[in-house]
Amino acid sequence: MENDTHSAPRPLAFDPAARDLGVLVGFDGSQQSIQALHYGAMEAQRSGRRLTIVSAYSVPAPVATTIGAVPDKFEAQHSVVAAKALLDEARSYLQDYPGEVIYRTERGDPAGVLVDLSTVAELAVVGARGRGGFVGRLLGSVSSALPAHARCPTVVVARQYKITDAADPTRFEPVPDERPVIVGIDRSPHSRIAALQAAEQALNRGTVLHLLMALPTLEGWLDWYPGLDTPDQRIIDQRRLQLEESLAEEVAWLGRHYPSLTITAAVKPGDPVAQLSRSTHEAQLTVVGTRGRSGFTGVLLGSVSRGVLLRAAGPVMIVPELQDERLSDQPDLIR
């Protein structure tokens, strides 16, 4: 049997009761990891989950030209001490936090460590860039790799995320926010998994869930209908009506699973990346799947999810392909 190392992992069963780490936050002491720490603490408070803070360290291979050049302490000891010092910083920041917190140091590459731990976490949270980011780079290595490989939803906290300056336990209490949770929909099973996770977020936040479906512009029309040489406005309007009817079915399907949740929806003409990136300015959380209908086999992070992360002005949740029994009654896949 061929071993395709580039193929996506099989969908993982998502049982919150078996995910003991709760909200998992990667912390490296950078300003953006502090933002991620604050966001994760508020998220854990909102949902009543455990908060787990992880600092990863790696140990370079020892190189010494002479016996006298051998360091007096093993490199691993220095790395462990540094990782524990970072956790002390996180512990100091969370000194007034009222919930349960676990602090862990883990040996290994930070992205790899978080991917491994994501199998027993309900949510992973990281900053857009850490200490190792290059100047001018919009995404760091961890925030690029983790959403593509994580086995739980991942929130990447944008640089623009504001944290309160208050120095008491109330700073970790979620503040009322009327902005919606927005999720990108393309009628694929994968986007429906994202919609279910987005619905849970909207319910926990006491806000509206908004489903957004993009309709390609004329420039991208031939990607949808290669047999058409010159698509006219009449055909475009007809297709938009079809998509709006399809989206109404998506709303009805989600409503059956979340009857107390207010759900709105819209089909907007334009590029999906541009539409969803724009939504990050007006949503308290924007949710997308790792891949959609146009995803290539073996590509773990699709062009839309990557593009939204690069342009985001607010927190973005990337949802991997997960098993969910509620997909058994989903609307027809093709229309």
Side-chain angles (χ1 to χ4, degrees), residues 19-33:
R19 293 183 172 243
D20 297 336
L21 297 188
V23 178
L24 174 68
V25 179
F27 186 78
D28 67 0
S30 66
Q31 177 58 37
Q32 291 191 35
S33 75

Side-chain angles (χ1 to χ4, degrees), residues 158-161 277 280-281 308 311-316:
R159 302 185 309 279
Q160 297 89 337
Y161 179 69
S277 298
T280 65
H281 291 267
V308 174
R311 304 184 189 184
V316 175

